[in-house]
Amino acid sequence: MKCSDFFLCGADMGLERHDVCADKPMVLAIGVFDGVHLGHRKLLDEAVRLAQELNAVPAALTFDPHPRSVLFPETPTQLLMELQDRLRLLVESGMAMTAVAEFTREFAATEPEVFLDGLFRQIPQLAGIVVGSCWRFGARGTGNVELLGRYAAGHGLQLRAVPELQIGTEVVSASTIRRLIAEGKLDEAAELLGRSYTLAGQVSSGYGIAGSKLDCPTANIVCQAGVLPPNGVYAGWIECNKGSFAAAVNIGVAPTYDRSADKVRRIEAHLLDFNGNLYDQRVKLTLGRYLRAEQRFDCEENLKKQIACDVENIRRWAAENMR
């Protein structure tokens, strides 16, 4: 397999940085980086420091699809964010360039030394590598930090292996954050992420009920990635092309109206003080406080009263929490 089959230089959100790579040494941070959480930020900060020491360019190599989804397709990993958002956050974390390796079963069978030889050939100015201390790579996961250290020493590379970050009793990892969100522990997830949890998606048509019958138009947000917390009503905010707006967010199956046997979970967000059309637009939803459980109402009038109460609670929350 050719190196170019799995290492795609220049996948940096459209920014042309090949001239930067050609003129200066490079320090490469390697990982999946799903969520770009505080543990990842610790690793990326180390890459920036090493790049400064070596007068080099800091870059990040990530993988897509997620390796576990390829190796264990029966239990695919639910990503915290789409690839484009991951790349954006890597750049915001100090990476001058990003690259994406397509993870396939063929790639998974690559021996560790072959993978490293490919990197070295593809980036002849490679001066340093930064990984997590528990990182495993190559066929059967036989590559580890010890093997990488021997390879680095033999090729004149600087290696930094960054220990896992622990906050309280939790090791900061994407899998831990996924679990916390699924359990509805948004504050704990935000602590490990270093920011409030967000979902990105496209606005599409929903049930068509809230606007016509309830005087509460909502945006039905379809996400390709992201973990949903338990069903219920949440305070949050939406970022769109018209700005940021506080939002009442319902995650669930709209039990007052949808009584079918096949329940499909949806994200419906009512933007406060918003006028306009968001259909087919990409928006970012930040989830804040859990307000109440999703419930079925016996009549629309009672549902309207509850929505009005929810909106007032969200206004108070937004006044204290929206940036």
Side-chain angles (χ1 to χ4, degrees):
M1 183 173 61
K2 297 178 182 178
C3 179
S4 57
D5 290 338
F6 63 84
F7 187 70
L8 308 180
C9 267
D12 57 353
M13 304 177 63
L15 300 177
E16 292 295 333
R17 300 296 180 88
H18 298 85
D19 55 336
V20 175
C21 295
D23 295 341
K24 298 184 68 174
M26 180 184 291
V27 168
L28 190 65
I30 307 176
V32 176
F33 299 120
D34 182 34
V36 194
H37 52 62
L38 289 181
H40 296 143
R41 289 296 299 270
K42 179 182 177 182
L43 189 153
L44 296 168
D45 287 347
E46 184 61 35
V48 170
R49 280 192 292 271
L50 181 57
Q52 290 171 344
E53 292 176 16
L54 301 176
N55 190 28
V57 173
L61 169 63
T62 186
F63 304 91
D64 186 69
H66 194 288
R68 288 193 59 85
S69 294
V70 174
L71 297 174
F72 306 101
E74 66 280 4
T75 56
T77 296
Q78 193 169 8
L79 294 174
L80 290 169
M81 59 178 51
E82 294 181 44
L83 178 61
Q84 61 185 0
D85 293 316
R86 191 192 324 169
L87 296 177
R88 173 180 56 80
L89 286 175
L90 288 171
V91 171
E92 292 178 6
S93 300
M95 299 297 100
M97 185 175 183
T98 62
V100 182
E102 181 183 8
F103 198 94
T104 63
R105 284 194 170 274
E106 182 184 10
F107 176 60
T110 305
E111 294 297 329
E113 294 85 353
V114 175
F115 168 72
L116 295 173
D117 286 342
L119 282 184
F120 204 62
R121 285 196 305 271
Q122 187 80 14
I123 316 174
Q125 72 275 36
L126 186 62
I129 295 176
V130 182
V131 297
S133 59
C134 297
W135 187 53
R136 303 300 292 258
F137 65 101
R140 303 170 302 282
T142 52
N144 55 24
V145 169
E146 288 72 27
L147 184 153
L148 183 54
R150 293 193 298 271
Y151 187 95
H155 290 76
L157 303 176
Q158 292 288 321
L159 171 65
R160 299 284 171 84
V162 180
E164 290 181 322
L165 177 65
Q166 183 166 326
I167 296 179
T169 59
E170 298 282 10
V171 172
V172 181
S173 69
S175 58
T176 298
I177 294 169
R178 293 185 195 105
R179 173 178 58 79
L180 291 172
I181 294 169
E183 293 174 353
K185 299 175 181 177
L186 295 179
D187 288 343
E188 294 179 39
E191 185 179 12
L192 304 191
L193 280 167
R195 62 186 185 278
S196 297
Y197 180 57
T198 61
L199 292 158
Q202 188 163 328
V203 177
S204 68
S205 58
Y207 291 112
I209 294 170
S212 60
K213 294 185 177 181
L214 300 176
D215 299 320
C216 180
T218 62
N220 178 54
I221 303 172
V222 178
C223 301
Q224 300 302 316
V227 178
L228 293 184
N231 289 358
V233 177
Y234 294 80
W237 69 82
I238 294 280
E239 295 175 56
C240 63
N241 61 357
K242 292 191 175 183
S244 297
F245 299 85
V249 183
N250 186 86
I251 296 176
V253 296
T256 300
Y257 294 100
D258 184 15
R259 298 168 184 173
S260 62
D262 184 19
K263 302 291 187 180
V264 177
R265 299 182 75 198
R266 295 172 181 255
I267 306 173
E268 296 277 352
H270 169 58
L271 283 67
L272 278 57
D273 306 316
F274 174 82
N275 290 307
N277 189 339
L278 291 176
Y279 284 121
D280 296 327
Q281 290 188 30
R282 180 178 167 85
V283 300
K284 185 167 75 170
L285 166 63
T286 297
L287 291 174
R289 179 180 300 167
Y290 171 83
L291 295 181
R292 63 176 177 85
E294 187 182 43
Q295 62 188 99
R296 178 176 172 178
F297 291 86
D298 55 6
C299 67
E300 288 179 352
E301 189 60 33
N302 287 340
L303 176 54
K304 283 184 179 181
K305 290 179 181 178
Q306 182 60 61
I307 290 174
C309 181
D310 293 338
V311 167
E312 287 307 308
N313 287 333
I314 290 167
R315 287 192 187 280
R316 287 192 291 270
W317 173 85
E320 298 177 358
N321 293 276
M322 276 191 68
R323 43 193 177 180

